[in-house]
Amino acid sequence: MKDKINKLLSAIQEISINTTAELDEFRLKYLSKKGEINNLFNDFRNVSAEERKEVGQLINNLKQLAQDKFTTVKESLLYAQAVDVTEDYTKSSEPLNTGSRHPISQTRREIVEIFSRMGFTVAEGPEIEDDWHVFSGLNFPEEHPARDMQDTFFINKSPDILLRTHTSSVQVRTMEKNQPPIRQIFPGRVFRNEAISARSHCIFHQIEGLYIDKDVSFADLKQTLLIFAKEFFGPDTSIRLRPSFFPFTEPSAEMDVSCSICGGKGCNVCKYTGFLEILGCGMVDPNVLEASNIDSKQYTGFAFGMGIERITMLKYQIKDIRYFFENDIRFLKQFSKF
Ligand code: PHE
């Protein structure tokens, strides 16, 4: 009897069950009413009284083993049916076409990041402005040509409501609300009533910088812009300041960077000058400080403004400003960082 039990035990342990048909076979053979284990219980009647306890336990163990094997295999077969285990479910179903930041946004972020390392914080102002913040508060004379209908999109005439033509308007808003020290940059969209061509657009982006404190000098302006140019265009970049004019700065300058294409030797991108013009800047005119109630005897400051499209075009050698507004995937894809 014991021999029979042990044989059945090892048979059950060794049997391998891979399909539901095999599982059913197993159940019929061992666990059904007429199965081998139940038959053992019939034989049990003939076991001598001394052996009963031991044999009874052996049969119970055997039954338990068969039952356990049946449920374990049943569960794993059910699971395999529910999920096709030959598939890798961690794989994505399709190669995903993810979007990326627009090159203008990338450049703006890069510029903001460089200036924030120099202690500048970011502020923004409205795109629809009044005459005061775009012109009068910035020391534009009454008859200045920049107020002309040809440059400015007017929404309303007297009182003048217009689309800002430069981000310098945010300078005025900041100075109205804060006393120095002020160290901020103002990125934003600007609008000019100009014909659209490869080089100019009626909508573009600028980033403006303003630093006002005691003893701010032209040397501070120059050093700040040199650091920016090296960070943005590369460590070998040099700068050149040329005298210029803006109503709101005195003295004023335009800044060129050495041409990153030819390294300053002269090529068709820099028109054989070795330099590329990138921004306007200067010391904030005392009239501008006073117009916003900042004491020009105590404080001085510098300001600068640059076109984001322009420096993106220079950095990546983009020949036409209109690409930025067309949203052609083939163009945008080239700036994808993924
Ligand atoms: N606002 C000027 C422009 O749009 C740029 C500028 C900003 C110049 C600040 C000097 C100081 O051209």
Side-chain angles (χ1 to χ4, degrees):
M1 180 83 184
K2 276 198 235 167
D3 236 28
K4 204 172 170 187
I5 296 173
N6 281 333
K7 270 197 189 126
L8 275 175
L9 192 80
S10 45
I12 289 173
Q13 273 167 342
E14 273 157 35
I15 199 165
S16 97
I17 309 167
N18 298 309
T19 63
T20 40
E22 283 171 5
L23 183 67
D24 217 38
E25 218 174 277
F26 176 85
R27 186 184 58 80
L28 281 173
K29 186 164 182 201
Y30 297 105
L31 292 165
S32 65
K33 263 195 183 151
K34 288 187 182 141
E36 305 234 13
I37 295 173
N38 252 0
N39 286 344
L40 286 177
F41 283 110
N42 295 337
D43 296 349
F44 190 60
R45 280 184 230 120
N46 310 326
V47 175
S48 64
E50 312 87 73
E51 282 192 321
R52 269 185 172 240
K53 197 177 168 200
E54 192 194 350
V55 174
Q57 217 151 37
L58 284 175
I59 301 175
N60 276 334
N61 285 348
L62 180 71
K63 191 172 179 183
Q64 194 60 48
L65 178 89
Q67 203 91 53
D68 286 351
K69 183 150 186 160
F70 177 79
T71 31
T72 320
V73 174
K74 188 176 171 183
E75 273 168 19
S76 69
L77 284 175
L78 278 176
Y79 175 77
Q81 265 172 9
V83 279
D84 184 349
V85 285
T86 57
E87 269 297 332
D88 177 1
Y89 284 91
T90 59
K91 253 174 34 190
S92 70
S93 54
E94 295 283 330
L96 288 176
N97 276 323
T98 46
S100 59
R101 275 187 208 289
H102 193 279
I104 294 302
S105 301
Q106 287 185 28
T107 302
R108 190 196 57 219
R109 288 177 149 228
E110 209 178 319
I111 300 169
V112 166
E113 205 263 325
I114 293 168
F115 281 105
S116 63
R117 276 190 266 132
M118 292 192 266
F120 287 78
T121 55
V122 177
E124 284 180 61
E127 293 177 345
I128 298 173
E129 270 290 8
D130 49 26
D131 174 273
W132 174 258
H133 292 96
V134 178
F135 299 127
S136 300
L138 286 164
N139 199 36
F140 277 78
E142 207 48 65
E143 297 304 322
H144 196 279
R147 295 169 181 235
D148 201 292
M149 294 291 280
Q150 278 173 5
D151 289 312
T152 310
F153 287 114
F154 284 93
I155 293 171
N156 189 50
K157 263 289 188 188
S158 61
D160 284 352
I161 305 295
L162 44 99
L163 296 178
R164 65 180 177 195
T165 55
H166 55 183
T167 42
S168 302
S169 54
V170 196
Q171 283 190 35
V172 181
R173 292 199 171 267
T174 300
M175 287 187 285
E176 280 170 351
K177 277 187 278 152
N178 306 289
Q179 280 297 311
I182 295 169
R183 193 168 1 175
Q184 288 200 302
I185 44 170
F186 318 115
R189 216 158 40 148
V190 299
F191 309 84
R192 286 185 197 176
N193 195 356
E194 274 178 28
I196 298 171
S197 71
R199 310 194 119 249
S200 65
H201 208 287
C202 57
I203 303 175
F204 58 102
H205 299 78
Q206 285 189 329
I207 199 155
E208 187 93 6
L210 179 69
Y211 179 30
I212 304 172
D213 204 345
K214 290 183 174 139
D215 301 322
V216 176
S217 71
F218 202 92
D220 296 322
L221 169 62
K222 206 172 156 182
Q223 189 61 23
T224 304
L225 293 179
L226 176 64
I227 289 171
F228 163 71
K230 283 180 182 290
E231 291 286 317
F232 189 81
F233 290 103
D236 299 329
T237 310
S238 57
I239 61 168
R240 178 172 84 175
L241 289 162
R242 286 177 289 100
S244 186
F245 175 79
F246 300 101
F248 36 94
T249 46
E250 184 60 35
S252 304
E254 263 162 323
M255 185 176 100
D256 302 338
V257 291
S258 54
C259 178
S260 52
I261 314 298
C262 62
K265 284 190 206 76
C267 66
N268 64 347
V269 175
C270 62
K271 303 206 191 73
Y272 301 95
T273 60
F275 282 94
L276 301 161
E277 183 199 319
I278 65 155
L279 57 81
C281 60
M283 300 306 291
V284 181
D285 193 304
N287 289 344
V288 172
L289 296 175
E290 296 294 338
S292 296
N293 294 322
I294 290 176
D295 184 356
S296 64
K297 304 236 161 22
Q298 260 200 77
Y299 296 108
T300 52
F302 65 69
F304 56 87
M306 65 187 109
I308 301 182
E309 278 79 359
R310 176 157 175 83
I311 71 166
T312 310
M313 286 168 81
L314 293 175
K315 186 164 181 172
Y316 300 108
Q317 289 188 62
I318 298 162
K319 295 268 167 353
D320 195 318
I321 194 170
R322 288 169 293 196
Y323 287 133
F324 293 123
F325 302 92
E326 283 165 357
N327 284 330
D328 185 330
I329 294 285
R330 292 167 300 179
F331 171 71
L332 297 176
K333 255 193 181 154
Q334 299 173 78
F335 300 89
S336 165
K337 298 250 160 90
F338 302 108

